[in-house]
Every structure is written in C-alpha cells, then in structure tokens.
C-alpha cells in the first residue's frame, strides 16, 4: 500500500500594511486572514484548518503593538503585542494576564506569539483567556464595512476555535478596567513547559478594610468548550474572611461549573480532580497578592 500523497496547501498573497485602514481594506478581500506571530496560523494552515487567499500581517501597524497604561488605571493591550511584552509590562497592573502570557510555549513562542492571536485562536486551553475574562477585558474589533465595535470578552467565545469575530474583522486591542486587589492564573500540565493546559483557573479578588473579600471573579479554561466565568465560585468568596472553608466552597463551585471532555490531554475525571488543588492555589495566590497590595497602600 502506498503512502497517502502529501498535498501542499494552496499559495496565498502576503500583505504587510503599515496602516490600520489599509489592513481593514485587505481583510475585506475574499479568503483574507490576519497573521500576527504565526505560531498558530502556520500549523492551522498545514493541517488544512485554514486555506487563505490573502494573509494580512498586522505586526507593522504601530497602534496594534502598543501596550498603554492610562492614568485612571485602565490598560489597553494592542492585539499584536507579543506575549513576552505582556508578561513583563503587565506584571504589576494585570498579574493574572502576565501569569498566563508567561506560561505560553517557550521564550521563542512568547517572543513571536501575540495576545491577540491567543484570543482569536479561541482555543479553550489558551493561557491568557481565562485571566482576561477574570479581569473584565473587552475586545475592540474593527472592519472596513462595519467600523468599530467593542465586545465583552465573556460574550466573545462561542465554541472551540470559534468566536463572534467576523471573518473581515481585526481584533485591534483588549481593554481592561482599573484593577484593584490581586489576581492570578495557573494551569495544570504534565510537563513544566511546552505543554498545553489540561485545566486552567484565574481569579481576581479585592479586599475590604476589614480584610474580608469585597469583590471577586473566577474563570476556568480547558475544562469546557470555551473559557468561562464562574459567577457562583466568585459569590462563594464575596463577604467571607477567605478562610480555608471559604476557599473550599470556591473550589466546589469551580468543579460544578466545569464540563470537561476526555481527550488526548486528559480524562474528564482527571480534569475534575486536578481542578480542586489548582483553584485553591490560584485563589490563595490572588489573595496573597491582594493583601500585599493592601499593605503597600496603607504603608
Ligand atoms: C511550540 C508552541 C507552543 C505553544 N504553547 C502554547 C501554550 O502553552 N499556551 C497557549 O495558550 N498557546 C500555546 N501555543 C499557541 C500559540 O502560540 C498562541 O495561541 C499564540 O498566542 C498565538 O498568537 P500568534 O500571534 O502567533 O497568532 P497567529 O498564529 O498569527 O494567529 C492565530 C489566529 O488568530 C488570528 N489572528 C491573529 N491576530 C489577529 C487579529 N489581530 N485580528 C483577527 N484575527 C487575528 C489568525 O488569523 C489565526 O486564525 C503554542 C504554539 C506553539 C507553536
């Protein structure tokens, strides 16, 4: 029996516009896709998941590479900002997002790969996604035909690899509200590096003057068709003194909200089991960061 023929993906035209307006015009062409770091796009094309006629490289557009910290505490991350820069420049302002960015692949992957690519790939296991959700990110999208629109990230993902982004739309930036308190993201993997999340959890907490939890958000990744907020887990923490029993209640809600499948990276049963210590560790780290920050503010 002869080996199956290897079929080369069809050719495409490569564009590298320097202006957003030009990029949007190019995205309106038939079969156009955006290219940022190409760390996902190359494999997607090789596996036949994408067969673009036009590839629009967005990395030469300065506004899409910018990371801006505003005086009121809001942060705007350009879609083409590298994960490496996000890990460094957002370490203090958006700790959970920096945690996620720092876990992606190897230094080479993070130097090329972008936060916008991670979001638009929409993998349930994407390492920045649950952190961005927990921190209340909004996605700014633009197209030549429709202009601009802003979508809350918890309404962005619609399934594995799918989102509300239209084919001709570019993600231009992610916008985050001012962050008080502390946040964290962690994932379970079998290896310490170069592995994809078997399960991921992000949490954000703020503390009142009495040390009790004032507000919280919790999000999960890789344990359902999309990364998702878990309001019940957050509600289990709000108003409590954040004792061990309170954190245990958060973990129970996280497990209840998860709907993992059996796949090559883990069984449903195993994923549900690892979620408990994972969620506990993430909430404890977010609390420790919130307490350290409260100490800095009062000192
Ligand atoms: C060796 C290796 C290890 C990896 N490890 C991890 C890991 O640990 N965790 C993890 O989460 N991911 C991992 N990945 C996947 C990948 O690196 C990330 O998803 C990365 O963030 C993708 O960004 P990119 O800029 O390379 O996207 P690209 O590959 O350029 O694009 C990805 C998709 O998004 C679209 N897109 C990109 N930018 C835009 C935009 N601005 N507007 C509209 N559409 C856009 C593209 O058309 C494409 O469909 C790994 C990949 C490799 C090769």
């Amino acid at each position: 029996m002869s080996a199956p023929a290897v079929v080369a993906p069809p050719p495409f035209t490569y564009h590298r516009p320097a202006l957003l307006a030009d990029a949007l015009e190019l995205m309106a062409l038939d079969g156009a896709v955006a290219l940022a770091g190409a760390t996902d796009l190359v494999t997607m094309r090789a596996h036949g998941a994408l067969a673009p006629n036009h590839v629009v490289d967005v990395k030469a557009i300065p506004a899409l590479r910018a990371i801006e910290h505003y005086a009121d505490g809001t942060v705007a991350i350009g879609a083409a900002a590298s994960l490496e820069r996000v890990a460094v420049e957002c370490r203090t302002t958006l700790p959970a997002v920096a945690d996620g960015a720092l876990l992606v692949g190897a230094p080479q992957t993070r130097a090329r790969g972008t936060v916008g690519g991670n979001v638009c790939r929409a993998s349930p296991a994407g390492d920045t996604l649950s952190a961005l959700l927990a921190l209340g990110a909004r996605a700014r999208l633009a197209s030549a035909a429709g202009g601009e629109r802003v979508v809350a990230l918890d309404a962005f993902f619609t399934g594995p690899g799918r989102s509300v982004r239209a084919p001709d739309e570019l993600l231009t930036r992610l916008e985050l509200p001012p962050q008080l308190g502390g946040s964290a993201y962690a994932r379970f993997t079998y290896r310490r590096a170069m592995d994809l999340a078997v399960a991921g959890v992000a949490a954000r907490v703020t503390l009142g003057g009495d040390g009790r939890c004032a507000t919280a958000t919790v999000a999960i990744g890789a344990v359902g068709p999309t990364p998702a907020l878990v309001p019940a887990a957050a509600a289990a923490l709000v108003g409590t003194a954040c004792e061990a029993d309170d954190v245990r209640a958060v973990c129970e809600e996280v497990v209840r909200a998860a709907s993992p499948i059996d796949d090559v990276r883990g069984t449903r049963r195993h994923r549900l089991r690892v979620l408990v210590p994972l969620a506990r560790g993430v909430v404890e780290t977010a609390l420790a960061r919130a307490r350290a920050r409260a100490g800095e503010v009062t000192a």
Side-chain angles (χ1 to χ4, degrees):
M1 196 168 66
S2 59
V6 177
V7 181
F12 58 80
T13 307
Y14 172 80
H15 309 267
R16 192 174 161 88
L19 296 175
L20 178 58
D22 293 343
L24 297 180
E25 292 294 339
L26 289 163
M27 285 294 290
L29 297 174
D30 183 46
V33 299
L35 175 147
T39 60
D40 273 324
L41 192 119
V42 165
T43 44
M44 289 161 81
R45 181 170 175 268
H47 293 161
L50 277 180
N53 299 325
H54 297 274
V55 167
V56 183
D57 186 338
V58 297
K59 290 193 306 297
I61 304 168
L64 265 62
R65 291 204 314 268
I67 299 178
E68 294 175 272
H69 288 86
Y70 295 100
D72 67 354
T74 55
V75 182
I77 306 176
S82 73
L83 293 156
E84 180 186 45
R85 282 186 54 220
V86 171
V88 173
E89 295 179 34
C90 300
R91 167 54 52 206
T92 315
T93 46
L94 310 169
V97 178
D99 288 345
L102 196 56
L103 284 168
V104 175
Q108 296 91 331
T109 329
R110 296 191 289 274
R112 281 209 66 82
T114 65
V115 67
N118 204 228
V119 169
C120 291
R121 172 69 183 87
S123 162
D127 277 309
T128 65
L129 310 188
S130 37
L132 287 164
L133 276 180
L135 270 51
R138 301 185 320 158
R140 185 169 287 272
L141 299 164
S143 68
E148 277 195 303
R149 65 181 177 131
V150 176
V151 180
L153 211 62
D154 66 345
F156 185 83
F157 304 106
T158 54
R162 295 199 307 274
S163 73
V164 299
R165 186 184 68 80
D168 65 339
E169 279 184 311
L170 278 181
L171 172 68
T172 55
R173 63 186 205 172
L174 294 152
E175 299 171 351
L176 290 110
Q179 303 293 323
L180 304 169
S183 68
Y185 167 80
R187 66 182 191 179
F188 177 85
T189 52
Y190 299 106
R191 301 189 307 186
R192 293 179 91 185
M194 296 299 286
D195 206 350
L196 292 176
V198 173
V201 178
R204 178 199 63 82
V205 290
T206 62
L207 301 173
D210 56 1
R212 300 178 86 83
C213 175
T215 66
T217 45
V218 177
I220 51 178
V223 289
T226 65
L229 288 171
V230 188
L237 200 62
V238 173
T240 72
C242 309
E243 305 286 359
D245 280 351
D246 307 318
V247 177
R248 194 170 303 126
V250 175
C251 300
E252 283 167 11
E253 293 299 343
V254 162
V255 170
R256 197 166 291 141
S259 54
I261 54 168
D262 294 333
D263 70 9
V264 287
R265 291 208 297 280
T267 61
R268 172 183 163 81
R269 191 158 165 253
H270 184 238
R271 283 187 154 112
L272 292 175
R273 186 174 293 176
V274 300
L275 264 179
V276 174
L278 186 66
R280 184 169 56 232
V282 166
V283 172
E284 284 170 355
T285 303
L287 281 167
R289 288 175 175 170
R291 287 175 183 133
R293 196 161 170 195
E296 281 169 21
V297 172
T298 52

